[in-house]
Amino acid sequence: MKFQRERRHDEPEINLIPMIDVLLVIIIFLMLTTTYARFSGLEINLPTADAAKQPDQPNEINVVVTVGGQVLVNKVPLANSDVTSISEALRRAAGAATDPLIVINADARTTHQSVIDVMQAAQGAGYAHISFATQTSH
């Protein structure tokens, strides 16, 4: 004798709607609480190559970077080309000027790191106005 009723066994199924709701709430939470880091940068005014040469400014410091990485500040060569030496030379060249314009004259084959070192030195010395010298193409 069989006293138990016949039971149907339903197939278990996964309901995805609650899971999607939870994921959307997590995404919205992350979007609202995320802070975006601001990278410190240099304010650079890039001159165009076809512009006429601008007149010299009295508080302008010319920095030349040669192919070999040698740095000259106002035509005075530096013994070391590291960031601290360049920064000290920029401060000496600025004298009493509060915010001089740093003009970087870099050779076309100069390494990128040499130019970045000059830019870091200018930022470390507190000078934000940097410009690059270019040749006009004829």
Side-chain angles (χ1 to χ4, degrees), residues 8-35:
R8 281 194 197 168
H9 293 292
D10 291 336
E11 289 291 323
E13 65 180 56
I14 297 175
N15 193 354
L16 293 178
I17 294 174
M19 185 175 69
I20 292 171
D21 289 343
V22 169
L23 288 176
L24 285 175
V25 168
I26 290 172
I27 289 173
I28 291 171
F29 175 75
L30 288 176
M31 287 173 47
L32 294 176
T33 59
T34 301
T35 58

Side-chain angles (χ1 to χ4, degrees), residues 47-58:
T48 57
D50 55 356
K53 184 181 184 305
Q54 296 184 357
D56 291 336
Q57 296 180 353

Side-chain angles (χ1 to χ4, degrees), residues 61 73-74 76 78 83-94:
I61 300 173
V73 177
N74 284 343
V76 177
L78 301 180
V83 176
T84 55
S85 299
I86 299 169
S87 182
E88 290 171 6
L90 289 175
R91 284 192 192 102
R92 280 193 307 270

Side-chain angles (χ1 to χ4, degrees), residues 65-108:
V65 183
T66 63
V67 177
Q70 177 70 30
V71 178
L72 292 86
V73 177
N74 284 343
K75 298 180 182 178
V76 177
L78 301 180
N80 292 328
S81 296
D82 59 299
V83 176
T84 55
S85 299
I86 299 169
S87 182
E88 290 171 6
L90 289 175
R91 284 192 192 102
R92 280 193 307 270
T98 56
D99 194 19
L101 174 67
I102 310 296
V103 180
I104 300 174
N105 296 294
D107 190 274

Side-chain angles (χ1 to χ4, degrees), residues 49-50 135-138:
D50 55 356
Q135 289 182 345
T136 56
S137 56
H138 294 282

